[in-house]
Amino acid sequence: MKTNIEVVPIETDVLVIGGGLAGCMAAIKAREYDVRVTVAEKANTLASGCAGTGVDHSWAYIPPIHEKMGWTIDDLVEDHCQMIARGFIRRDLLYMVARENYDRMLDLEKFGINIRFDDSKIPGRFRIVYQFHSMPSSFNFDGRDLKLKLTREARKRGVSIVNRVMVVRLLTAGGRVAGALGVGTSDGKIYSFKARAVVLSTGRANRLTRGVTGVWGNHRIPVNETGDGRAMALRAGLPIINMEFYSPANYSIGNFELNLGSPRNTVQPAAAVTAGDGEVVVPRTRFYDWDNLGREKINARRNREKALAARGNARPSYAQLTREGKGPFYLDLTGGTEEEIKYIEWSIHNEGKGSLFLEYLKKQEGFDFRKDKLEWLPNSSEIAGTAASGLVVDGNLETEVKGLFGAGDEVGGVPWAGAPGAFTMGWHAGELAAREAKKLTAPPEAGGAPAESLKEQVSGMLDNPDGLHWREVEIAVQNLIDYYAGDVRSGPLLSRGVERLREIEKKAVFRAENAHELMRCLEVRSIMDNAAMVLTGSLNRQESRRAPFAFNRVDFPEQDDKNWLAFLALRLKDGGFTASKLPIK
């Protein structure tokens, strides 16, 4: 018997797919234009997305501080372009993020997020620390409950939030977006959304590799972020960039993958990385001397040149140091003052999974940062913020499909946009989507019977007791990527990887015993689409580009800016991929 699947129709003006930071900000802003706004979220907006369990830092150009230094927004942008992206960046989008995120932080304050502290000497009573740039540019703030407060603000403004619905297909009509189709992850129903404009903000692509601990779900990036937006856009004929920059494993807290980083980000200013013999591998940082603010003007070019020179003489990677017998490595805060250690504990408490991690360390391990060190071990490989993979959009975040916008980590071309990119792009995309929606008197009508097609796919999984369990297929894809698209890649390996992935795709007939397993099956479909882009992109980029991407082709060992200083865009056409170069402006 065929499973009888109910179709739930929902009509809205603006549909936001993904309720993370970018999605919530888009929905909140769109409601200012008196349009109907619906958020479709695979999990629950109270704790979804990369920042579902908190975020403690967000970089920005901060006028009341940076103007006193004589440091301009152009200086911050140039820092990011040269020190982080090495020229491989959408400068126009970067400028938008740098310019607008200060105002977005003030908006967060209005929504109930504390960004000011009585013990601060900084103008505005902010806490501002170093992160990516040559000068301190990141707010430290109380962001543990950020998603709770963004959800509350969205609901207060009248946003309709549909949780536990995984959107899997975009609907178009005559080159314009017409809505989307989703599957209920708890009820198994088909949700058919009609919309005048859509914001796509499902985040990064995760679970392309097996975690180093062997424990399912122990990744730095939340397990629900499986590149669904990229997969949907790809199937809709849109180009996706930078998928080849699937990075090798970095090092961080062993056995518990967190967003800490060192020596900057969440564990500054006291944290260093030391080797087993006590040798300092990465020195600790210091707080900026805020008593000197405004007394001397910053020479931004000289500061940047010093930082770049230091990186030019940078230490080898942890993997190389390990091969040289330099390990083990430790995150070491034992040289910090009491004030510094308390500051870092506060910061960790507000960063993703940090509060849980601190509770575990103190209650189960009896750990004390004042005298104990945390071993620094490899984490899982991922398409991280460095890769900046995602949708190709114009300067207004609109894709080739009219009325379809991207936001946050869904957008390609801005390495480590992170939370600032989510706040600013979400806000911007929400505004433009609302304006676009108001131009139409009714949603476009998608042709055919797309809901019936999805019903057939879903019932095929629910009614197939002989199909494959989703974990079987996921492990097969992860093993394939780890081997054929690992730290070192070559044309023959990548070509064989593409062939093997096609074999898996043909054989991957899933079974699902309930709606939750149905979601996992659909996620693995997204994972396979993203894996295909990783392999195909890696095969087409015929160079090595180590900094900052750690992309290594042994058959093309040199960086080739003449031919490859460009974004590589992949597009699905006639059942296969086409690749093209997009100039970096």
Side-chain angles (χ1 to χ4, degrees), residues 361-505:
L361 284 180
K362 293 180 178 181
K363 292 186 177 180
Q364 296 189 40
E365 298 293 336
F367 185 92
D368 188 344
F369 281 116
R370 294 154 188 82
K371 58 184 179 63
D372 300 320
K373 302 175 185 179
L374 284 168
E375 189 165 1
W376 211 243
L377 292 168
N379 283 180
S380 303
S381 299
E382 60 182 52
I383 297 184
T386 302
S389 63
L391 301 176
V392 176
V393 297
D394 64 17
N396 284 322
L397 302 173
E398 192 170 21
T399 69
E400 293 177 5
V401 174
K402 189 67 177 173
L404 176 63
F405 299 85
D409 286 331
E410 200 77 85
V411 172
V414 189
W416 292 111
F423 296 144
T424 56
M425 292 187 209
W427 198 259
H428 199 65
E431 177 178 6
L432 294 176
R435 288 181 174 180
E436 184 64 28
K438 289 179 77 71
K439 296 177 184 178
L440 303 180
T441 56
E445 289 289 340
E452 293 303 313
S453 173
L454 183 56
K455 281 175 66 175
E456 184 176 349
Q457 180 186 4
V458 167
S459 63
M461 298 178 187
L462 292 170
D463 297 328
N464 184 16
D466 298 322
L468 296 169
H469 190 272
W470 62 270
R471 278 292 284 142
E472 297 177 86
V473 183
E474 180 174 355
I475 290 171
V477 175
Q478 290 171 338
N479 287 342
L480 187 151
I481 290 294
D482 280 340
Y483 178 65
Y484 294 102
D487 295 355
V488 178
R489 302 173 200 179
S490 70
L493 272 175
L494 292 164
S495 295
R496 179 57 182 149
V498 170
E499 292 173 355
R500 288 207 58 202
L501 183 60
R502 287 173 181 160
E503 293 171 2
I504 292 174
E505 289 172 340

Side-chain angles (χ1 to χ4, degrees), residues 164-409:
R164 309 296 179 190
V165 172
M166 178 182 177
V167 178
V168 294
R169 293 186 193 176
L170 294 169
L171 301 178
T172 59
R176 176 180 285 276
V177 74
L181 293 175
V183 177
T185 66
S186 59
D187 59 20
K189 297 176 182 178
I190 301 295
Y191 288 77
S192 180
F193 297 95
K194 285 187 177 182
R196 293 168 170 80
V198 173
V199 177
L200 197 54
S201 56
T202 68
R204 300 177 189 173
N206 189 24
R207 285 166 44 198
L208 286 164
T209 186
R210 297 180 75 174
V212 291
T213 63
V215 177
W216 187 87
N218 186 16
H219 297 274
R220 189 178 72 90
I221 305 301
V223 294
N224 276 6
E225 296 206 6
T226 47
D228 303 327
R230 289 163 176 75
M232 275 185 277
L234 181 75
R235 296 179 204 128
L238 290 170
I240 310 295
I241 62 172
N242 289 354
M243 289 300 292
E244 66 270 30
F245 295 135
Y246 172 69
S247 67
N250 206 339
Y251 276 58
S252 186
I253 303 301
N255 301 327
F256 201 121
E257 299 198 13
L258 295 172
N259 295 326
L260 296 189
S262 179
R264 296 183 177 179
N265 279 12
T266 301
V267 290
Q268 65 169 315
V273 177
T274 57
D277 59 3
E279 177 187 356
V280 175
V281 178
V282 181
R284 59 159 289 169
T285 60
R286 304 280 176 180
F287 282 123
Y288 183 79
D289 184 2
W290 294 105
D291 289 331
N292 277 331
L293 181 64
R295 295 181 182 178
E296 59 179 352
K297 296 299 181 182
I298 300 301
N299 187 323
R301 177 177 293 180
R302 185 172 62 194
N303 281 4
R304 186 162 51 248
E305 287 173 350
K306 286 181 180 178
L308 286 169
R311 293 189 181 202
N313 300 312
R315 60 167 177 78
S317 67
Y318 289 114
Q320 178 63 36
L321 289 171
T322 300
R323 287 193 291 270
E324 295 173 1
K326 299 291 187 181
F329 308 107
Y330 297 91
L331 182 66
D332 185 353
L333 278 68
T334 58
T337 66
E338 183 67 18
E339 176 190 10
E340 289 171 335
I341 290 173
K342 285 183 177 179
Y343 186 97
I344 288 173
E345 288 184 334
W346 160 78
S347 193
I348 293 174
H349 175 78
N350 285 284
E351 181 61 21
K353 295 183 281 188
S355 59
L356 175 64
F357 183 59
L358 285 177
E359 183 178 17
Y360 160 74
L361 284 180
K362 293 180 178 181
K363 292 186 177 180
Q364 296 189 40
E365 298 293 336
F367 185 92
D368 188 344
F369 281 116
R370 294 154 188 82
K371 58 184 179 63
D372 300 320
K373 302 175 185 179
L374 284 168
E375 189 165 1
W376 211 243
L377 292 168
N379 283 180
S380 303
S381 299
E382 60 182 52
I383 297 184
T386 302
S389 63
L391 301 176
V392 176
V393 297
D394 64 17
N396 284 322
L397 302 173
E398 192 170 21
T399 69
E400 293 177 5
V401 174
K402 189 67 177 173
L404 176 63
F405 299 85
D409 286 331

Side-chain angles (χ1 to χ4, degrees), residues 510-523:
F510 291 94
R511 74 169 188 270
E513 295 186 6
N514 52 54
H516 183 79
E517 287 194 357
L518 181 61
M519 173 191 71
R520 295 299 185 207
C521 293
L522 294 168
E523 285 180 333

Side-chain angles (χ1 to χ4, degrees), residues 23 47 120 125 162 168 254 269 333 465 491:
S120 173
R125 294 183 291 110
V162 184
V168 294
L333 278 68

